[in-house]
Amino acid sequence: MKLENPQQAAPATRAPAVPVHPSYRPDIDGLRAVAVLSVVLFHAFPGKLPGGFVGVDIFFVISGYLIGTILLANLRRGTLDFADFYARRVLRIFPALGLVLAATLAFGWFGLFADEYKQLGKHVLGGAGYISNVFLWNEVGYFDTSAETKPLLHLWSLAIEEQFYIVWPLVLLVAARLRVSLLKTILAVLAVSFLVNIGGVHRWPTATFYSPASRVWELLVGGAIAWFGVYRVSLFGGVMREGRVVARAGFSSAGSRNRLAWTGFALLALALLLVRREQSFPGNWALLPVLGAALLIIAGPLAWVNRVLLSNRLMVGIGLISYPLYLWHWPLLSYARIVEGDIPERPLKLVLLGASVMLAWATWRFVERPLRYSSSRRRVRVGGLVAAVCALGGLGAFIYQSDGLPQRSAVVDTALQQKDLVLVEDVENAKACKARFGFDSFYRYCLMDDVKREPTVALIGDSHAYHIVAGQMKYWHSRGENLVKFGTRVPFIGLPGTGDEYQLATPGMLELALNTPSIKTVILSTALSLHQGADEKARLLPALRETLRQFTAKGKRVIYVADTPKLEWEPRTCIGRGAVPTSKTRVDCAIPRSAYAAQLAANADVMSVLKEFPSVLVFDPSAAFCDDRKCHVKQDDIVIYRDTHHLSYRGDLLVGEEFARWAADKLR
């Protein structure tokens, strides 16, 4: 995160025409260190510091305070120069950002498969254009890749800050011109943003997490503190006046300052220990780190916590490199996760953290400082940095549009091995199918072989139906049938709705399959292996029984598709990554048949329900890739899994071929 670090503050004798910058507070660098160490430790060892991700919220408050002080002080003195303000932002942010973007792309050239490199190109564009949060927001979904495999995921917070700083100076300027109280403006926007946060965190959790509308209140808490400092209102023990920290009435005594600081310290500790990523965040939980950081800033540099704990040389040193450390640590950890195909081992994590610190220091010492404080013409430096970052964004867009450049020599030998991992989506067919049945939902709900004919076969289910649809459609088409695929969550009658759009669509789709006379065959496929809890089974088994009862009573032929083997490791570790070494490449890309047998045993109660209906046929897709000893994850050098429990497109076709062999006997 990029925060102004006024190391070289202007002397108090500057002429009024010169922009004002706050005097240096080492304790704020120490608070930065707390923030970045929290995030880094959380990313490396989430179980050790479960709330470490709130370090981002601490950064927001610090940023709002420092940048708010600059804006308000210059606005008050009539020296607010937009060109100067944004030039300083470029010199502060772009050197390290450009270097990390370039390094991430360079490593990806040698180590990422085409679909991975394509996504990286998109994220480089988002990072260069400060719209990472928008891209990530739109990517969230069931088939989204895991967060740990997105090397530039952490740039979402940078995007929110810079989006805020593009708009906020203009808001302050307009308020000043209209003679509207700046404090009231700050508090009003803060209140609205906080209400958006509270109102949306449960209903739209992804949007609330990534949207600046629900995050700027955190920056404005720091901005409100800045207002009291700039206008010298008695709020805290140390107030900046003419570049010096002075004592005023209010919290001016040592006891008051210390109580504020210890309270803030305690709130941060509670946030780090109590907040969990499974909780709805930010919401009310964000008050802990935000208020904690705010109280530490308010307490001032003379409070014991700030003076002793935050202002010591180690914490200040980490604070000075906090921005490049934040930028470097996540790509290193993420690439390790991608290459290893699993959570990296502890020794490797420690090496990567050490490398992050060294890269951060080198970036600060040899890139940031020279470009930021060089005596050469600033306009040239700013223009060069803007051009470089824009060029990186353009390169990212080119990589994305070129489908990840699959012809790269570093990965061309393995391109054929992994090109079929992705799911194939026929968007136009899905739209036509949706229109055919009048669905308002998005297109994965519906796929159809021939939308102009009446359906005769219905494949109903969740993603475990979707990952066999191509093979099923091929088989039934060869038989002159017309298959329609209805996408639901769990395709059972009578389950209570979960509120998501998949489950809300389930009753209507089941009713369609049940009451459409032309549909003679119904295929049910769902990931019951992922529903192992006793409470879940208590809901699912009666619903399965009722579903089978109603469909068989209607005279439908019902086929239940058993679950595919679930892996405990990432299937891409079966493929070498060219020049990038890994300790996890699996030569024998398979799981023991006994492991799959154990998974089936966990669903014995499901099979018992199925046996209550003799007319219901059970198809076991594992016959396509399991023998007596092993279940293989690779066929003819092609990985047949997309992830740990979804088949790839090649796997889908293999299951379709096995279904054809099975049907030749069972469906005569």
Side-chain angles (χ1 to χ4, degrees):
M1 327 252 316
K2 60 306 137 257
L3 306 171
E4 287 291 342
N5 178 20
Q7 276 290 99
Q8 301 181 357
T13 56
R14 274 185 172 173
V18 178
V20 179
H21 294 274
S23 57
Y24 177 60
R25 282 181 54 175
D27 59 311
I28 289 184
D29 262 333
L31 189 57
R32 281 195 188 124
V34 172
V36 76
L37 289 176
S38 299
V39 173
V40 170
L41 291 176
F42 169 75
H43 284 156
F45 309 105
K48 303 297 183 183
L49 196 67
F53 62 91
V54 303
V56 171
D57 305 271
I58 300 172
F59 272 126
F60 283 159
V61 179
I62 299 172
S63 180
Y65 169 70
L66 292 174
I67 306 303
T69 299
I70 292 171
L71 291 171
L72 291 167
N74 285 287
L75 191 61
R76 187 184 186 198
R77 294 178 54 167
T79 58
L80 181 56
D81 184 337
F82 284 103
D84 176 77
F85 175 76
Y86 292 119
R88 288 179 179 275
R89 300 304 296 157
V90 167
L91 292 172
R92 171 63 174 138
I93 299 164
F94 279 29
L97 176 64
L99 181 62
V100 171
L101 291 178
T104 306
L105 276 176
F107 184 89
W109 175 275
F110 296 101
L112 295 185
F113 296 134
D115 59 319
E116 297 167 337
Y117 203 46
K118 176 180 180 179
Q119 185 184 67
L120 178 65
K122 176 184 175 183
H123 290 173
V124 167
L125 172 62
Y130 296 114
I131 51 175
S132 291
N133 58 326
V134 178
F135 284 176
L136 294 167
W137 177 356
N138 289 327
E139 285 175 3
V140 171
Y142 190 74
F143 287 101
D144 185 23
T145 55
S146 67
E148 291 82 359
T149 59
K150 296 180 179 181
L152 297 177
L153 174 81
H154 61 325
L155 296 187
W156 71 268
S157 60
L158 195 69
I160 284 179
E161 287 195 32
E162 294 316 308
Q163 289 162 12
F164 174 70
Y165 290 130
I166 289 171
V167 175
W168 186 240
L170 300 174
V171 173
L172 289 178
L173 183 62
V174 170
R177 293 279 173 84
L178 297 176
R179 299 186 180 277
V180 176
S181 166
L182 295 183
L183 179 61
K184 290 180 180 178
T185 301
I186 293 170
L187 295 179
V189 178
L190 188 160
V192 171
S193 175
F194 183 74
L195 291 175
V196 170
N197 159 49
I198 296 299
V201 72
H202 295 290
R203 188 171 182 182
W204 302 288
T206 301
T208 304
F209 187 89
Y210 285 121
S211 172
S214 50
R215 287 287 194 165
V216 297
W217 69 272
E218 302 179 44
L219 291 127
L220 290 176
V221 167
I225 300 170
W227 184 92
F228 284 96
V230 168
Y231 287 89
R232 306 172 192 170
V233 175
S234 176
L235 175 66
F236 46 94
V239 178
M240 191 188 73
R241 178 190 289 175
E242 301 299 334
R244 297 183 300 110
V245 175
V246 298
R248 288 179 60 88
F251 298 120
S252 57
S253 70
S256 298
R257 290 195 296 267
N258 288 334
R259 282 192 291 272
L260 278 178
W262 279 113
T263 302
F265 187 83
L267 290 175
L268 291 187
L270 288 173
L272 295 173
L273 295 174
L274 297 181
V275 178
R276 299 289 189 275
R277 55 183 168 183
E278 297 82 13
Q279 296 164 337
S280 298
F281 196 87
N284 287 319
W285 284 106
L287 288 170
L288 286 175
V290 169
L291 294 181
L295 291 178
L296 284 166
I297 294 172
I298 291 171
L302 301 181
W304 187 90
V305 170
N306 298 43
R307 177 168 46 84
V308 177
L309 299 183
L310 297 181
S311 297
N312 68 73
R313 293 183 64 183
L314 177 62
M315 295 296 285
V316 170
I318 296 173
L320 289 174
I321 65 169
S322 59
Y323 172 49
L325 178 56
Y326 180 81
L327 290 181
W328 278 114
H329 85 282
W330 181 248
L332 293 180
L333 291 172
S334 179
Y335 270 135
R337 177 65 180 264
I338 292 170
V339 171
E340 292 291 284
D342 200 351
I343 299 174
E345 300 292 339
R346 183 183 182 88
L348 178 57
K349 286 183 180 179
L350 293 174
V351 170
L352 293 173
L353 293 185
S356 300
V357 173
M358 290 189 288
L359 286 169
W361 179 84
T363 302
W364 173 76
R365 178 66 180 81
F366 299 111
V367 179
E368 277 192 351
R369 288 182 63 184
L371 285 171
R372 191 175 179 193
Y373 299 120
S374 172
S375 58
S376 64
R377 289 187 300 173
R378 189 172 73 162
R379 182 174 297 179
V380 174
R381 284 180 284 137
V382 171
L385 286 168
V386 170
V389 171
C390 287
L392 286 167
L395 179 58
F398 172 75
I399 291 169
Y400 179 76
Q401 291 295 328
S402 303
D403 291 326
L405 300 173
Q407 69 275 21
R408 284 171 291 139
S409 60
V411 297
V412 69
D413 292 337
T414 57
L416 290 177
Q417 291 181 313
Q418 59 85 43
K419 71 182 182 66
D420 288 326
L421 290 178
V422 296
L423 296 173
V424 176
E425 298 175 342
D426 190 340
V427 178
E428 293 306 314
N429 175 280
K431 289 179 179 178
C433 180
K434 184 176 70 171
R436 169 76 166 74
F437 293 100
F439 296 146
D440 295 326
S441 314
F442 70 94
Y443 64 84
R444 278 204 187 101
Y445 278 162
C446 194
L447 286 170
M448 197 169 178
D449 188 17
D450 185 349
V451 294
K452 296 180 180 179
R453 294 171 52 205
E454 290 296 316
T456 60
V457 179
L459 170 61
I460 314 173
D462 54 19
S463 59
H464 281 218
Y466 189 65
H467 75 174
I468 63 169
V469 68
Q472 286 293 308
M473 198 169 285
K474 183 177 180 181
Y475 168 77
W476 292 104
H477 179 83
S478 71
R479 309 296 296 177
E481 305 284 354
N482 188 28
L483 182 140
V484 61
K485 187 266 179 182
F486 291 146
T488 67
R489 181 67 72 195
V490 180
F492 299 161
I493 293 171
L495 285 178
T498 60
D500 63 77
E501 54 186 339
Y502 271 114
Q503 197 61 49
L504 290 174
T506 298
M509 290 184 166
L510 289 171
E511 184 178 353
L512 260 174
L514 192 64
N515 295 321
T516 301
S518 62
I519 294 178
K520 305 297 184 182
T521 300
V522 175
I523 305 168
L524 302 176
S525 179
T526 184
L528 282 187
S529 62
L530 304 181
H531 301 276
Q532 299 293 356
D535 291 342
E536 287 184 288
K537 286 292 181 69
R539 294 186 306 108
L540 292 174
L541 295 178
L544 170 60
R545 185 176 288 109
E546 179 61 18
T547 303
L548 298 176
R549 187 193 67 78
Q550 291 199 31
F551 275 112
T552 54
K554 281 279 189 176
K556 310 286 186 183
R557 176 168 57 188
V558 179
I559 301 171
Y560 185 89
V561 181
D563 228 346
T564 51
K566 186 175 183 296
L567 311 179
E568 297 299 328
W569 35 268
E570 168 58 49
R572 290 193 180 208
T573 56
C574 298
I575 308 171
R577 288 183 177 270
V580 177
T582 170
S583 64
K584 295 289 182 67
T585 300
R586 299 176 186 275
V587 177
D588 184 14
C589 193
I591 63 172
R593 182 66 190 243
S594 59
Y596 179 46
Q599 295 173 20
L600 293 178
N603 277 330
D605 46 6
V606 175
M607 301 307 295
S608 296
V609 172
L610 292 169
K611 289 177 181 178
E612 296 175 15
F613 299 86
S615 65
V616 173
L617 300 173
V618 179
F619 168 64
D620 180 6
S622 69
F625 35 84
C626 292
D627 54 34
D628 293 338
R629 296 174 53 248
K630 296 178 181 179
C631 289
H632 300 275
V633 183
K634 210 173 184 181
Q635 293 276 343
D636 300 326
D637 265 351
I638 304 295
V639 173
I640 58 177
Y641 272 75
R642 179 178 186 268
D643 55 32
T644 58
H645 63 99
H646 289 113
L647 297 172
S648 68
Y649 181 60
R650 181 60 63 94
D652 183 341
L653 297 180
L654 278 174
V655 169
E657 293 170 5
E658 176 60 30
F659 185 86
R661 289 189 288 270
W662 174 86
D665 176 55
K666 299 293 183 180
L667 303 184
R668 286 179 297 182

